[in-house]
Tab-separated table of all heavy atoms in Angstrom:
chain	number	residue	atom	x	y	z
A	3	GLU	N	-58.157	-69.401	36.655
A	3	GLU	CA	-57.666	-68.887	37.998
A	3	GLU	C	-57.222	-67.441	37.879
A	3	GLU	O	-56.698	-67.015	36.971
A	3	GLU	CB	-56.479	-69.807	38.441
A	3	GLU	CG	-56.980	-71.203	38.590
A	3	GLU	CD	-55.733	-72.035	39.079
A	3	GLU	OE1	-54.776	-71.520	39.565
A	3	GLU	OE2	-55.919	-73.307	39.015
A	4	LYS	N	-57.314	-66.685	39.092
A	4	LYS	CA	-56.812	-65.368	39.152
A	4	LYS	C	-55.418	-65.399	39.246
A	4	LYS	O	-54.719	-66.405	39.825
A	4	LYS	CB	-57.336	-64.685	40.412
A	4	LYS	CG	-58.844	-64.375	40.315
A	4	LYS	CD	-59.316	-63.746	41.607
A	4	LYS	CE	-60.868	-63.543	41.463
A	4	LYS	NZ	-61.247	-62.777	42.700
A	5	PRO	N	-54.639	-64.441	38.779
A	5	PRO	CA	-53.157	-64.434	38.987
A	5	PRO	C	-52.710	-64.261	40.363
A	5	PRO	O	-53.615	-63.424	41.156
A	5	PRO	CB	-52.723	-63.267	38.134
A	5	PRO	CG	-53.965	-62.362	37.943
A	5	PRO	CD	-55.109	-63.317	37.964
A	6	LYS	N	-51.773	-64.896	40.816
A	6	LYS	CA	-51.313	-64.877	42.193
A	6	LYS	C	-50.499	-63.660	42.574
A	6	LYS	O	-50.443	-63.301	43.709
A	6	LYS	CB	-50.494	-66.206	42.462
A	6	LYS	CG	-51.433	-67.448	42.411
A	6	LYS	CD	-50.701	-68.711	42.759
A	6	LYS	CE	-51.483	-69.942	42.598
A	6	LYS	NZ	-50.703	-71.016	42.854
A	7	SER	N	-49.948	-62.997	41.561
A	7	SER	CA	-49.090	-61.862	41.878
A	7	SER	C	-49.382	-60.846	40.769
A	7	SER	O	-49.554	-61.029	39.694
A	7	SER	CB	-47.543	-62.333	41.674
A	7	SER	OG	-46.740	-61.221	41.714
A	8	LEU	N	-49.479	-59.627	41.358
A	8	LEU	CA	-49.717	-58.414	40.614
A	8	LEU	C	-48.292	-57.678	40.269
A	8	LEU	O	-48.364	-56.527	39.816
A	8	LEU	CB	-50.709	-57.512	41.279
A	8	LEU	CG	-52.163	-58.033	41.281
A	8	LEU	CD1	-52.972	-57.009	42.063
A	8	LEU	CD2	-52.673	-58.285	39.979
A	9	LEU	N	-47.201	-58.275	40.777
A	9	LEU	CA	-45.982	-57.549	40.564
A	9	LEU	C	-45.610	-57.290	39.075
A	9	LEU	O	-45.233	-56.249	38.782
A	9	LEU	CB	-44.883	-58.471	41.243
A	9	LEU	CG	-43.497	-57.856	41.132
A	9	LEU	CD1	-43.426	-56.553	41.885
A	9	LEU	CD2	-42.409	-58.869	41.759
A	10	LEU	N	-45.787	-58.285	38.138
A	10	LEU	CA	-45.528	-58.103	36.848
A	10	LEU	C	-46.278	-57.077	36.197
A	10	LEU	O	-45.698	-56.224	35.493
A	10	LEU	CB	-45.701	-59.417	36.217
A	10	LEU	CG	-45.246	-59.338	34.586
A	10	LEU	CD1	-43.705	-59.128	34.443
A	10	LEU	CD2	-45.493	-60.808	33.901
A	11	PRO	N	-47.503	-57.009	36.373
A	11	PRO	CA	-48.194	-55.789	35.621
A	11	PRO	C	-47.817	-54.429	36.161
A	11	PRO	O	-47.648	-53.505	35.499
A	11	PRO	CB	-49.750	-56.006	36.042
A	11	PRO	CG	-49.774	-57.405	36.370
A	11	PRO	CD	-48.502	-57.832	36.899
A	12	PHE	N	-47.532	-54.378	37.501
A	12	PHE	CA	-47.056	-53.164	38.160
A	12	PHE	C	-45.771	-52.683	37.523
A	12	PHE	O	-45.435	-51.446	37.358
A	12	PHE	CB	-47.066	-53.087	39.737
A	12	PHE	CG	-48.406	-52.842	40.216
A	12	PHE	CD1	-48.960	-53.960	40.926
A	12	PHE	CD2	-49.195	-51.712	40.063
A	12	PHE	CE1	-50.367	-53.689	41.508
A	12	PHE	CE2	-50.381	-51.527	40.553
A	12	PHE	CZ	-51.031	-52.664	41.336
A	13	VAL	N	-44.742	-53.596	37.454
A	13	VAL	CA	-43.427	-53.432	36.920
A	13	VAL	C	-43.612	-53.019	35.473
A	13	VAL	O	-42.934	-52.071	35.075
A	13	VAL	CB	-42.656	-54.651	37.120
A	13	VAL	CG1	-41.329	-54.483	36.360
A	13	VAL	CG2	-42.291	-54.880	38.546
A	14	ALA	N	-44.496	-53.673	34.663
A	14	ALA	CA	-44.532	-53.305	33.299
A	14	ALA	C	-45.208	-51.891	33.126
A	14	ALA	O	-44.674	-51.088	32.340
A	14	ALA	CB	-45.471	-54.283	32.615
A	15	ALA	N	-46.137	-51.499	34.035
A	15	ALA	CA	-46.704	-50.211	34.053
A	15	ALA	C	-45.676	-49.133	34.285
A	15	ALA	O	-45.573	-48.103	33.725
A	15	ALA	CB	-47.926	-50.105	34.914
A	16	ALA	N	-44.896	-49.378	35.411
A	16	ALA	CA	-43.749	-48.479	35.741
A	16	ALA	C	-42.764	-48.320	34.572
A	16	ALA	O	-42.334	-47.259	34.270
A	16	ALA	CB	-43.150	-48.917	37.008
A	17	LEU	N	-42.422	-49.427	33.952
A	17	LEU	CA	-41.512	-49.373	32.866
A	17	LEU	C	-41.925	-48.515	31.682
A	17	LEU	O	-41.275	-47.656	31.243
A	17	LEU	CB	-41.192	-50.798	32.370
A	17	LEU	CG	-40.148	-51.017	31.163
A	17	LEU	CD1	-38.721	-50.754	31.715
A	17	LEU	CD2	-40.307	-52.322	30.564
A	18	PHE	N	-43.231	-48.802	31.270
A	18	PHE	CA	-43.789	-48.073	30.176
A	18	PHE	C	-44.038	-46.520	30.658
A	18	PHE	O	-43.805	-45.614	29.767
A	18	PHE	CB	-45.108	-48.614	29.651
A	18	PHE	CG	-44.757	-49.780	28.926
A	18	PHE	CD1	-45.385	-50.948	29.342
A	18	PHE	CD2	-44.196	-49.795	27.749
A	18	PHE	CE1	-45.319	-52.189	28.566
A	18	PHE	CE2	-44.043	-50.976	27.116
A	18	PHE	CZ	-44.542	-52.168	27.470
A	19	ALA	N	-44.318	-46.288	31.797
A	19	ALA	CA	-44.417	-44.771	32.354
A	19	ALA	C	-43.067	-44.213	32.229
A	19	ALA	O	-42.945	-42.932	31.798
A	19	ALA	CB	-44.976	-44.743	33.653
A	20	GLY	N	-42.019	-44.856	32.700
A	20	GLY	CA	-40.607	-44.306	32.648
A	20	GLY	C	-40.143	-44.150	31.299
A	20	GLY	O	-39.660	-42.986	30.966
A	21	LEU	N	-40.454	-44.944	30.412
A	21	LEU	CA	-39.974	-44.850	28.893
A	21	LEU	C	-40.758	-43.684	28.295
A	21	LEU	O	-40.361	-42.928	27.549
A	21	LEU	CB	-40.233	-46.166	28.114
A	21	LEU	CG	-39.254	-47.304	28.530
A	21	LEU	CD1	-39.787	-48.548	27.846
A	21	LEU	CD2	-37.812	-46.911	28.168
A	22	GLY	N	-42.111	-43.537	28.640
A	22	GLY	CA	-42.816	-42.533	28.132
A	22	GLY	C	-42.353	-41.093	28.528
A	22	GLY	O	-42.349	-40.043	27.769
A	23	LYS	N	-42.014	-41.103	29.775
A	23	LYS	CA	-41.438	-39.879	30.366
A	23	LYS	C	-40.170	-39.470	29.540
A	23	LYS	O	-39.950	-38.246	29.362
A	23	LYS	CB	-41.176	-39.903	31.817
A	23	LYS	CG	-40.701	-38.758	32.502
A	23	LYS	CD	-40.534	-38.917	34.002
A	23	LYS	CE	-40.106	-37.716	34.672
A	23	LYS	NZ	-39.908	-37.898	36.147
A	24	MET	N	-39.232	-40.454	29.398
A	24	MET	CA	-38.009	-40.121	28.765
A	24	MET	C	-38.117	-39.636	27.309
A	24	MET	O	-37.554	-38.805	26.863
A	24	MET	CB	-37.185	-41.441	28.749
A	24	MET	CG	-36.595	-41.811	30.148
A	24	MET	SD	-35.777	-43.352	30.157
A	24	MET	CE	-34.497	-43.162	28.888
A	25	VAL	N	-39.141	-40.341	26.607
A	25	VAL	CA	-39.456	-39.874	25.208
A	25	VAL	C	-40.007	-38.511	25.245
A	25	VAL	O	-39.652	-37.607	24.473
A	25	VAL	CB	-40.514	-40.915	24.577
A	25	VAL	CG1	-41.044	-40.198	23.277
A	25	VAL	CG2	-39.704	-42.234	24.308
A	26	PHE	N	-40.928	-38.093	26.149
A	26	PHE	CA	-41.475	-36.801	26.262
A	26	PHE	C	-40.385	-35.763	26.480
A	26	PHE	O	-40.307	-34.716	25.858
A	26	PHE	CB	-42.447	-36.764	27.238
A	26	PHE	CG	-43.277	-35.474	27.464
A	26	PHE	CD1	-44.073	-35.084	26.555
A	26	PHE	CD2	-43.075	-34.694	28.595
A	26	PHE	CE1	-44.795	-33.912	26.538
A	26	PHE	CE2	-43.714	-33.410	28.655
A	26	PHE	CZ	-44.490	-33.087	27.653
Side-chain angles (χ1 to χ4, degrees):
E3 294 182 19
K4 292 184 180 179
K6 295 180 181 179
S7 174
L8 292 176
L9 180 64
L10 184 61
F12 281 114
V13 170
L17 178 76
F18 286 121
L21 288 174
K23 183 178 178 182
M24 287 173 56
V25 168
F26 184 69

